[in-house]
């Protein structure tokens, strides 16, 4: 999401914005969600982490695979 912040700074400074891929932005957004889940389970037991990953992360990871198949 750093590129979005950089574009906001450039726009505020009257500079040309960097071209951003909407697909790349969406993939990074989804990865950010996965990292948030991982931060929330940091320090829990392996069984607890596994249960949360199966409940909250598995479908997100599977969805990311679609992007890989589309653009491989």
């Amino acid at each position: 999401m750093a590129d979005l912040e950089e574009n906001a700074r450039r726009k505020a400074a009257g500079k040309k914005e960097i071209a951003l891929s909407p697909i790349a932005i969406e993939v990074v957004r989804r990865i950010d969600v996965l990292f948030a889940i991982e931060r929330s389970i940091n320090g829990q037991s392996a069984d607890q982490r596994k249960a949360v990953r199966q409940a909250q992360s598995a479908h997100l990871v599977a969805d990311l695979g679609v992007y890989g198949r589309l653009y491989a």
Side-chain angles (χ1 to χ4, degrees):
M1 302 323 279
D3 288 339
L4 294 174
E5 293 170 6
E6 175 63 23
N7 266 351
R9 285 191 291 275
R10 286 174 167 273
K11 187 175 184 178
K15 295 181 180 178
K16 183 179 177 184
E17 295 180 41
I18 300 167
L20 301 175
S21 163
I23 294 170
I25 291 170
E26 180 60 19
V27 169
V28 169
R29 186 194 67 76
R30 290 171 184 239
I31 292 170
D32 283 344
V33 172
L34 290 168
F35 273 94
I37 293 167
E38 288 298 311
R39 284 190 298 274
S40 76
I41 60 175
N42 189 28
Q44 294 184 12
S45 72
D47 287 339
Q48 290 170 319
R49 291 191 315 269
K50 181 179 179 181
V52 171
R53 287 174 180 146
Q54 288 174 337
Q56 296 181 19
S57 299
H59 72 280
L60 298 171
V61 173
D63 288 348
L64 282 173
V66 171
Y67 290 98
R69 289 187 294 278
L70 288 174
Y71 298 99

PDB file of all heavy atoms in Angstrom, residues 20-51:
ATOM      1  N   LEU A  20      -0.583   2.674 -11.220  1.00  0.00           N
ATOM      2  CA  LEU A  20      -0.741   1.510 -10.355  1.00  0.00           C
ATOM      3  C   LEU A  20      -1.723   0.525 -10.973  1.00  0.00           C
ATOM      4  O   LEU A  20      -2.766   0.923 -11.482  1.00  0.00           O
ATOM      5  CB  LEU A  20      -1.262   1.929  -8.979  1.00  0.00           C
ATOM      6  CG  LEU A  20      -0.399   2.911  -8.191  1.00  0.00           C
ATOM      7  CD1 LEU A  20      -1.112   3.327  -6.921  1.00  0.00           C
ATOM      8  CD2 LEU A  20       0.941   2.289  -7.861  1.00  0.00           C
ATOM      9  N   SER A  21      -1.381  -0.743 -10.883  1.00  0.00           N
ATOM     10  CA  SER A  21      -2.252  -1.794 -11.387  1.00  0.00           C
ATOM     11  C   SER A  21      -3.362  -2.057 -10.382  1.00  0.00           C
ATOM     12  O   SER A  21      -3.083  -2.385  -9.222  1.00  0.00           O
ATOM     13  CB  SER A  21      -1.449  -3.073 -11.602  1.00  0.00           C
ATOM     14  OG  SER A  21      -2.311  -4.177 -11.710  1.00  0.00           O
ATOM     15  N   PRO A  22      -4.620  -1.955 -10.796  1.00  0.00           N
ATOM     16  CA  PRO A  22      -5.722  -2.254  -9.872  1.00  0.00           C
ATOM     17  C   PRO A  22      -5.664  -3.696  -9.356  1.00  0.00           C
ATOM     18  O   PRO A  22      -6.023  -3.954  -8.208  1.00  0.00           O
ATOM     19  CB  PRO A  22      -6.980  -2.039 -10.711  1.00  0.00           C
ATOM     20  CG  PRO A  22      -6.558  -1.258 -11.893  1.00  0.00           C
ATOM     21  CD  PRO A  22      -5.091  -1.512 -12.098  1.00  0.00           C
ATOM     22  N   ILE A  23      -5.187  -4.606 -10.189  1.00  0.00           N
ATOM     23  CA  ILE A  23      -5.082  -6.004  -9.756  1.00  0.00           C
ATOM     24  C   ILE A  23      -4.008  -6.143  -8.688  1.00  0.00           C
ATOM     25  O   ILE A  23      -4.218  -6.801  -7.660  1.00  0.00           O
ATOM     26  CB  ILE A  23      -4.803  -6.927 -10.962  1.00  0.00           C
ATOM     27  CG1 ILE A  23      -6.019  -6.907 -11.892  1.00  0.00           C
ATOM     28  CG2 ILE A  23      -4.467  -8.340 -10.500  1.00  0.00           C
ATOM     29  CD1 ILE A  23      -5.799  -7.579 -13.218  1.00  0.00           C
ATOM     30  N   ALA A  24      -2.870  -5.495  -8.888  1.00  0.00           N
ATOM     31  CA  ALA A  24      -1.800  -5.561  -7.893  1.00  0.00           C
ATOM     32  C   ALA A  24      -2.256  -4.953  -6.572  1.00  0.00           C
ATOM     33  O   ALA A  24      -1.964  -5.500  -5.502  1.00  0.00           O
ATOM     34  CB  ALA A  24      -0.559  -4.848  -8.411  1.00  0.00           C
ATOM     35  N   ILE A  25      -2.970  -3.861  -6.636  1.00  0.00           N
ATOM     36  CA  ILE A  25      -3.478  -3.228  -5.416  1.00  0.00           C
ATOM     37  C   ILE A  25      -4.408  -4.183  -4.678  1.00  0.00           C
ATOM     38  O   ILE A  25      -4.338  -4.320  -3.456  1.00  0.00           O
ATOM     39  CB  ILE A  25      -4.193  -1.903  -5.742  1.00  0.00           C
ATOM     40  CG1 ILE A  25      -3.161  -0.877  -6.220  1.00  0.00           C
ATOM     41  CG2 ILE A  25      -4.960  -1.378  -4.536  1.00  0.00           C
ATOM     42  CD1 ILE A  25      -3.767   0.380  -6.796  1.00  0.00           C
ATOM     43  N   GLU A  26      -5.266  -4.862  -5.399  1.00  0.00           N
ATOM     44  CA  GLU A  26      -6.201  -5.800  -4.775  1.00  0.00           C
ATOM     45  C   GLU A  26      -5.468  -6.982  -4.147  1.00  0.00           C
ATOM     46  O   GLU A  26      -5.794  -7.411  -3.037  1.00  0.00           O
ATOM     47  CB  GLU A  26      -7.235  -6.293  -5.784  1.00  0.00           C
ATOM     48  CG  GLU A  26      -8.240  -7.274  -5.230  1.00  0.00           C
ATOM     49  CD  GLU A  26      -9.085  -6.742  -4.079  1.00  0.00           C
ATOM     50  OE1 GLU A  26      -9.186  -5.509  -3.908  1.00  0.00           O
ATOM     51  OE2 GLU A  26      -9.647  -7.562  -3.334  1.00  0.00           O
ATOM     52  N   VAL A  27      -4.464  -7.502  -4.833  1.00  0.00           N
ATOM     53  CA  VAL A  27      -3.705  -8.633  -4.288  1.00  0.00           C
ATOM     54  C   VAL A  27      -2.982  -8.207  -3.011  1.00  0.00           C
ATOM     55  O   VAL A  27      -3.005  -8.922  -2.003  1.00  0.00           O
ATOM     56  CB  VAL A  27      -2.724  -9.195  -5.338  1.00  0.00           C
ATOM     57  CG1 VAL A  27      -1.748 -10.180  -4.708  1.00  0.00           C
ATOM     58  CG2 VAL A  27      -3.487  -9.864  -6.476  1.00  0.00           C
ATOM     59  N   VAL A  28      -2.366  -7.038  -3.025  1.00  0.00           N
ATOM     60  CA  VAL A  28      -1.665  -6.551  -1.830  1.00  0.00           C
ATOM     61  C   VAL A  28      -2.661  -6.320  -0.696  1.00  0.00           C
ATOM     62  O   VAL A  28      -2.381  -6.642   0.462  1.00  0.00           O
ATOM     63  CB  VAL A  28      -0.859  -5.268  -2.149  1.00  0.00           C
ATOM     64  CG1 VAL A  28      -0.344  -4.611  -0.880  1.00  0.00           C
ATOM     65  CG2 VAL A  28       0.286  -5.595  -3.088  1.00  0.00           C
ATOM     66  N   ARG A  29      -3.841  -5.814  -1.000  1.00  0.00           N
ATOM     67  CA  ARG A  29      -4.866  -5.612   0.025  1.00  0.00           C
ATOM     68  C   ARG A  29      -5.233  -6.952   0.681  1.00  0.00           C
ATOM     69  O   ARG A  29      -5.345  -7.057   1.894  1.00  0.00           O
ATOM     70  CB  ARG A  29      -6.116  -4.967  -0.574  1.00  0.00           C
ATOM     71  CG  ARG A  29      -7.165  -4.601   0.478  1.00  0.00           C
ATOM     72  CD  ARG A  29      -8.510  -4.283  -0.134  1.00  0.00           C
ATOM     73  NE  ARG A  29      -9.139  -5.444  -0.746  1.00  0.00           N
ATOM     74  CZ  ARG A  29      -9.731  -6.439  -0.064  1.00  0.00           C
ATOM     75  NH1 ARG A  29      -9.771  -6.416   1.236  1.00  0.00           N
ATOM     76  NH2 ARG A  29     -10.278  -7.454  -0.694  1.00  0.00           N
ATOM     77  N   ARG A  30      -5.379  -7.979  -0.153  1.00  0.00           N
ATOM     78  CA  ARG A  30      -5.731  -9.301   0.374  1.00  0.00           C
ATOM     79  C   ARG A  30      -4.602  -9.889   1.217  1.00  0.00           C
ATOM     80  O   ARG A  30      -4.849 -10.529   2.240  1.00  0.00           O
ATOM     81  CB  ARG A  30      -6.090 -10.247  -0.771  1.00  0.00           C
ATOM     82  CG  ARG A  30      -7.405  -9.874  -1.425  1.00  0.00           C
ATOM     83  CD  ARG A  30      -7.644 -10.673  -2.694  1.00  0.00           C
ATOM     84  NE  ARG A  30      -8.845 -10.241  -3.362  1.00  0.00           N
ATOM     85  CZ  ARG A  30      -9.879 -11.034  -3.619  1.00  0.00           C
ATOM     86  NH1 ARG A  30      -9.857 -12.297  -3.270  1.00  0.00           N
ATOM     87  NH2 ARG A  30     -10.927 -10.547  -4.240  1.00  0.00           N
ATOM     88  N   ILE A  31      -3.375  -9.676   0.799  1.00  0.00           N
ATOM     89  CA  ILE A  31      -2.226 -10.150   1.587  1.00  0.00           C
ATOM     90  C   ILE A  31      -2.160  -9.403   2.913  1.00  0.00           C
ATOM     91  O   ILE A  31      -1.852 -10.000   3.952  1.00  0.00           O
ATOM     92  CB  ILE A  31      -0.921 -10.014   0.771  1.00  0.00           C
ATOM     93  CG1 ILE A  31      -0.949 -11.005  -0.400  1.00  0.00           C
ATOM     94  CG2 ILE A  31       0.302 -10.233   1.662  1.00  0.00           C
ATOM     95  CD1 ILE A  31       0.163 -10.818  -1.409  1.00  0.00           C
ATOM     96  N   ASP A  32      -2.480  -8.117   2.899  1.00  0.00           N
ATOM     97  CA  ASP A  32      -2.527  -7.347   4.152  1.00  0.00           C
ATOM     98  C   ASP A  32      -3.528  -7.956   5.138  1.00  0.00           C
ATOM     99  O   ASP A  32      -3.274  -7.991   6.345  1.00  0.00           O
ATOM    100  CB  ASP A  32      -2.896  -5.886   3.888  1.00  0.00           C
ATOM    101  CG  ASP A  32      -1.753  -5.064   3.340  1.00  0.00           C
ATOM    102  OD1 ASP A  32      -0.592  -5.507   3.438  1.00  0.00           O
ATOM    103  OD2 ASP A  32      -2.027  -3.963   2.810  1.00  0.00           O
ATOM    104  N   VAL A  33      -4.658  -8.426   4.627  1.00  0.00           N
ATOM    105  CA  VAL A  33      -5.653  -9.065   5.491  1.00  0.00           C
ATOM    106  C   VAL A  33      -5.063 -10.336   6.111  1.00  0.00           C
ATOM    107  O   VAL A  33      -5.239 -10.595   7.316  1.00  0.00           O
ATOM    108  CB  VAL A  33      -6.951  -9.385   4.709  1.00  0.00           C
ATOM    109  CG1 VAL A  33      -7.903 -10.228   5.549  1.00  0.00           C
ATOM    110  CG2 VAL A  33      -7.626  -8.100   4.251  1.00  0.00           C
ATOM    111  N   LEU A  34      -4.338 -11.115   5.314  1.00  0.00           N
ATOM    112  CA  LEU A  34      -3.707 -12.319   5.838  1.00  0.00           C
ATOM    113  C   LEU A  34      -2.689 -11.983   6.932  1.00  0.00           C
ATOM    114  O   LEU A  34      -2.629 -12.654   7.964  1.00  0.00           O
ATOM    115  CB  LEU A  34      -3.038 -13.115   4.722  1.00  0.00           C
ATOM    116  CG  LEU A  34      -3.981 -13.802   3.746  1.00  0.00           C
ATOM    117  CD1 LEU A  34      -3.223 -14.312   2.531  1.00  0.00           C
ATOM    118  CD2 LEU A  34      -4.726 -14.931   4.431  1.00  0.00           C
ATOM    119  N   PHE A  35      -1.901 -10.940   6.715  1.00  0.00           N
ATOM    120  CA  PHE A  35      -0.933 -10.529   7.724  1.00  0.00           C
ATOM    121  C   PHE A  35      -1.632 -10.077   9.001  1.00  0.00           C
ATOM    122  O   PHE A  35      -1.155 -10.347  10.108  1.00  0.00           O
ATOM    123  CB  PHE A  35      -0.010  -9.433   7.193  1.00  0.00           C
ATOM    124  CG  PHE A  35       1.194  -9.968   6.480  1.00  0.00           C
ATOM    125  CD1 PHE A  35       1.176 -10.137   5.112  1.00  0.00           C
ATOM    126  CD2 PHE A  35       2.353 -10.301   7.169  1.00  0.00           C
ATOM    127  CE1 PHE A  35       2.277 -10.629   4.443  1.00  0.00           C
ATOM    128  CE2 PHE A  35       3.463 -10.793   6.512  1.00  0.00           C
ATOM    129  CZ  PHE A  35       3.426 -10.963   5.144  1.00  0.00           C
ATOM    130  N   ALA A  36      -2.759  -9.402   8.886  1.00  0.00           N
ATOM    131  CA  ALA A  36      -3.518  -8.975  10.065  1.00  0.00           C
ATOM    132  C   ALA A  36      -4.001 -10.187  10.862  1.00  0.00           C
ATOM    133  O   ALA A  36      -3.951 -10.189  12.104  1.00  0.00           O
ATOM    134  CB  ALA A  36      -4.691  -8.095   9.651  1.00  0.00           C
ATOM    135  N   ILE A  37      -4.449 -11.207  10.159  1.00  0.00           N
ATOM    136  CA  ILE A  37      -4.876 -12.438  10.829  1.00  0.00           C
ATOM    137  C   ILE A  37      -3.686 -13.060  11.560  1.00  0.00           C
ATOM    138  O   ILE A  37      -3.797 -13.469  12.720  1.00  0.00           O
ATOM    139  CB  ILE A  37      -5.512 -13.435   9.832  1.00  0.00           C
ATOM    140  CG1 ILE A  37      -6.829 -12.870   9.289  1.00  0.00           C
ATOM    141  CG2 ILE A  37      -5.715 -14.806  10.485  1.00  0.00           C
ATOM    142  CD1 ILE A  37      -7.375 -13.604   8.079  1.00  0.00           C
ATOM    143  N   GLU A  38      -2.547 -13.125  10.896  1.00  0.00           N
ATOM    144  CA  GLU A  38      -1.354 -13.699  11.521  1.00  0.00           C
ATOM    145  C   GLU A  38      -0.935 -12.912  12.764  1.00  0.00           C
ATOM    146  O   GLU A  38      -0.565 -13.497  13.779  1.00  0.00           O
ATOM    147  CB  GLU A  38      -0.198 -13.774  10.521  1.00  0.00           C
ATOM    148  CG  GLU A  38      -0.383 -14.834   9.458  1.00  0.00           C
ATOM    149  CD  GLU A  38      -0.470 -16.238  10.037  1.00  0.00           C
ATOM    150  OE1 GLU A  38       0.388 -16.623  10.871  1.00  0.00           O
ATOM    151  OE2 GLU A  38      -1.410 -16.967   9.674  1.00  0.00           O
ATOM    152  N   ARG A  39      -1.002 -11.586  12.698  1.00  0.00           N
ATOM    153  CA  ARG A  39      -0.667 -10.784  13.872  1.00  0.00           C
ATOM    154  C   ARG A  39      -1.625 -11.074  15.025  1.00  0.00           C
ATOM    155  O   ARG A  39      -1.223 -11.102  16.189  1.00  0.00           O
ATOM    156  CB  ARG A  39      -0.681  -9.292  13.538  1.00  0.00           C
ATOM    157  CG  ARG A  39       0.537  -8.824  12.757  1.00  0.00           C
ATOM    158  CD  ARG A  39       0.609  -7.312  12.644  1.00  0.00           C
ATOM    159  NE  ARG A  39      -0.518  -6.743  11.920  1.00  0.00           N
ATOM    160  CZ  ARG A  39      -0.597  -6.612  10.603  1.00  0.00           C
ATOM    161  NH1 ARG A  39       0.413  -7.023   9.842  1.00  0.00           N
ATOM    162  NH2 ARG A  39      -1.652  -6.067  10.025  1.00  0.00           N
ATOM    163  N   SER A  40      -2.886 -11.313  14.699  1.00  0.00           N
ATOM    164  CA  SER A  40      -3.885 -11.541  15.744  1.00  0.00           C
ATOM    165  C   SER A  40      -3.696 -12.883  16.460  1.00  0.00           C
ATOM    166  O   SER A  40      -4.165 -13.045  17.583  1.00  0.00           O
ATOM    167  CB  SER A  40      -5.301 -11.457  15.172  1.00  0.00           C
ATOM    168  OG  SER A  40      -5.638 -12.621  14.438  1.00  0.00           O
ATOM    169  N   ILE A  41      -3.017 -13.824  15.829  1.00  0.00           N
ATOM    170  CA  ILE A  41      -2.829 -15.140  16.442  1.00  0.00           C
ATOM    171  C   ILE A  41      -1.403 -15.361  16.941  1.00  0.00           C
ATOM    172  O   ILE A  41      -1.078 -16.432  17.446  1.00  0.00           O
ATOM    173  CB  ILE A  41      -3.253 -16.286  15.478  1.00  0.00           C
ATOM    174  CG1 ILE A  41      -2.440 -16.274  14.193  1.00  0.00           C
ATOM    175  CG2 ILE A  41      -4.746 -16.217  15.207  1.00  0.00           C
ATOM    176  CD1 ILE A  41      -2.733 -17.441  13.254  1.00  0.00           C
ATOM    177  N   ASN A  42      -0.594 -14.341  16.834  1.00  0.00           N
ATOM    178  CA  ASN A  42       0.785 -14.434  17.303  1.00  0.00           C
ATOM    179  C   ASN A  42       0.789 -14.777  18.790  1.00  0.00           C
ATOM    180  O   ASN A  42       0.076 -14.180  19.581  1.00  0.00           O
ATOM    181  CB  ASN A  42       1.512 -13.110  17.059  1.00  0.00           C
ATOM    182  CG  ASN A  42       2.988 -13.215  17.324  1.00  0.00           C
ATOM    183  OD1 ASN A  42       3.581 -14.272  17.186  1.00  0.00           O
ATOM    184  ND2 ASN A  42       3.590 -12.104  17.707  1.00  0.00           N
ATOM    185  N   GLY A  43       1.557 -15.777  19.159  1.00  0.00           N
ATOM    186  CA  GLY A  43       1.666 -16.176  20.556  1.00  0.00           C
ATOM    187  C   GLY A  43       0.696 -17.255  20.981  1.00  0.00           C
ATOM    188  O   GLY A  43       0.806 -17.771  22.094  1.00  0.00           O
ATOM    189  N   GLN A  44      -0.251 -17.600  20.129  1.00  0.00           N
ATOM    190  CA  GLN A  44      -1.183 -18.676  20.463  1.00  0.00           C
ATOM    191  C   GLN A  44      -0.534 -20.030  20.158  1.00  0.00           C
ATOM    192  O   GLN A  44       0.472 -20.112  19.460  1.00  0.00           O
ATOM    193  CB  GLN A  44      -2.485 -18.512  19.678  1.00  0.00           C
ATOM    194  CG  GLN A  44      -3.266 -17.267  20.061  1.00  0.00           C
ATOM    195  CD  GLN A  44      -4.598 -17.174  19.335  1.00  0.00           C
ATOM    196  OE1 GLN A  44      -5.059 -18.132  18.717  1.00  0.00           O
ATOM    197  NE2 GLN A  44      -5.220 -16.000  19.397  1.00  0.00           N
ATOM    198  N   SER A  45      -1.143 -21.066  20.659  1.00  0.00           N
ATOM    199  CA  SER A  45      -0.601 -22.413  20.422  1.00  0.00           C
ATOM    200  C   SER A  45      -0.740 -22.782  18.945  1.00  0.00           C
ATOM    201  O   SER A  45      -1.538 -22.186  18.211  1.00  0.00           O
ATOM    202  CB  SER A  45      -1.355 -23.445  21.265  1.00  0.00           C
ATOM    203  OG  SER A  45      -2.661 -23.651  20.742  1.00  0.00           O
ATOM    204  N   ALA A  46       0.010 -23.779  18.541  1.00  0.00           N
ATOM    205  CA  ALA A  46      -0.042 -24.234  17.150  1.00  0.00           C
ATOM    206  C   ALA A  46      -1.449 -24.677  16.765  1.00  0.00           C
ATOM    207  O   ALA A  46      -1.926 -24.381  15.661  1.00  0.00           O
ATOM    208  CB  ALA A  46       0.953 -25.364  16.928  1.00  0.00           C
ATOM    209  N   ASP A  47      -2.128 -25.374  17.664  1.00  0.00           N
ATOM    210  CA  ASP A  47      -3.491 -25.831  17.378  1.00  0.00           C
ATOM    211  C   ASP A  47      -4.454 -24.648  17.222  1.00  0.00           C
ATOM    212  O   ASP A  47      -5.320 -24.660  16.351  1.00  0.00           O
ATOM    213  CB  ASP A  47      -3.997 -26.772  18.469  1.00  0.00           C
ATOM    214  CG  ASP A  47      -3.342 -28.147  18.400  1.00  0.00           C
ATOM    215  OD1 ASP A  47      -2.816 -28.508  17.326  1.00  0.00           O
ATOM    216  OD2 ASP A  47      -3.355 -28.848  19.426  1.00  0.00           O
ATOM    217  N   GLN A  48      -4.291 -23.642  18.069  1.00  0.00           N
ATOM    218  CA  GLN A  48      -5.149 -22.455  17.967  1.00  0.00           C
ATOM    219  C   GLN A  48      -4.888 -21.708  16.660  1.00  0.00           C
ATOM    220  O   GLN A  48      -5.826 -21.273  15.986  1.00  0.00           O
ATOM    221  CB  GLN A  48      -4.917 -21.526  19.159  1.00  0.00           C
ATOM    222  CG  GLN A  48      -5.433 -22.070  20.467  1.00  0.00           C
ATOM    223  CD  GLN A  48      -4.974 -21.247  21.652  1.00  0.00           C
ATOM    224  OE1 GLN A  48      -3.827 -20.803  21.719  1.00  0.00           O
ATOM    225  NE2 GLN A  48      -5.880 -21.039  22.604  1.00  0.00           N
ATOM    226  N   ARG A  49      -3.597 -21.558  16.306  1.00  0.00           N
ATOM    227  CA  ARG A  49      -3.258 -20.868  15.055  1.00  0.00           C
ATOM    228  C   ARG A  49      -3.828 -21.626  13.864  1.00  0.00           C
ATOM    229  O   ARG A  49      -4.378 -21.033  12.939  1.00  0.00           O
ATOM    230  CB  ARG A  49      -1.743 -20.706  14.924  1.00  0.00           C
ATOM    231  CG  ARG A  49      -1.158 -19.720  15.925  1.00  0.00           C
ATOM    232  CD  ARG A  49       0.294 -19.353  15.624  1.00  0.00           C
ATOM    233  NE  ARG A  49       1.144 -20.468  15.291  1.00  0.00           N
ATOM    234  CZ  ARG A  49       1.861 -21.177  16.167  1.00  0.00           C
ATOM    235  NH1 ARG A  49       1.812 -20.885  17.459  1.00  0.00           N
ATOM    236  NH2 ARG A  49       2.624 -22.162  15.766  1.00  0.00           N
ATOM    237  N   LYS A  50      -3.708 -22.951  13.894  1.00  0.00           N
ATOM    238  CA  LYS A  50      -4.225 -23.769  12.803  1.00  0.00           C
ATOM    239  C   LYS A  50      -5.731 -23.598  12.656  1.00  0.00           C
ATOM    240  O   LYS A  50      -6.239 -23.437  11.532  1.00  0.00           O
ATOM    241  CB  LYS A  50      -3.887 -25.241  13.032  1.00  0.00           C
ATOM    242  CG  LYS A  50      -4.362 -26.156  11.922  1.00  0.00           C
ATOM    243  CD  LYS A  50      -3.974 -27.600  12.191  1.00  0.00           C
ATOM    244  CE  LYS A  50      -4.487 -28.503  11.088  1.00  0.00           C
ATOM    245  NZ  LYS A  50      -4.137 -29.911  11.339  1.00  0.00           N
ATOM    246  N   ALA A  51      -6.448 -23.595  13.761  1.00  0.00           N
ATOM    247  CA  ALA A  51      -7.903 -23.452  13.718  1.00  0.00           C
ATOM    248  C   ALA A  51      -8.310 -22.089  13.128  1.00  0.00           C
ATOM    249  O   ALA A  51      -9.215 -22.009  12.292  1.00  0.00           O
ATOM    250  CB  ALA A  51      -8.495 -23.617  15.113  1.00  0.00           C
TER     251      ALA A  51
END
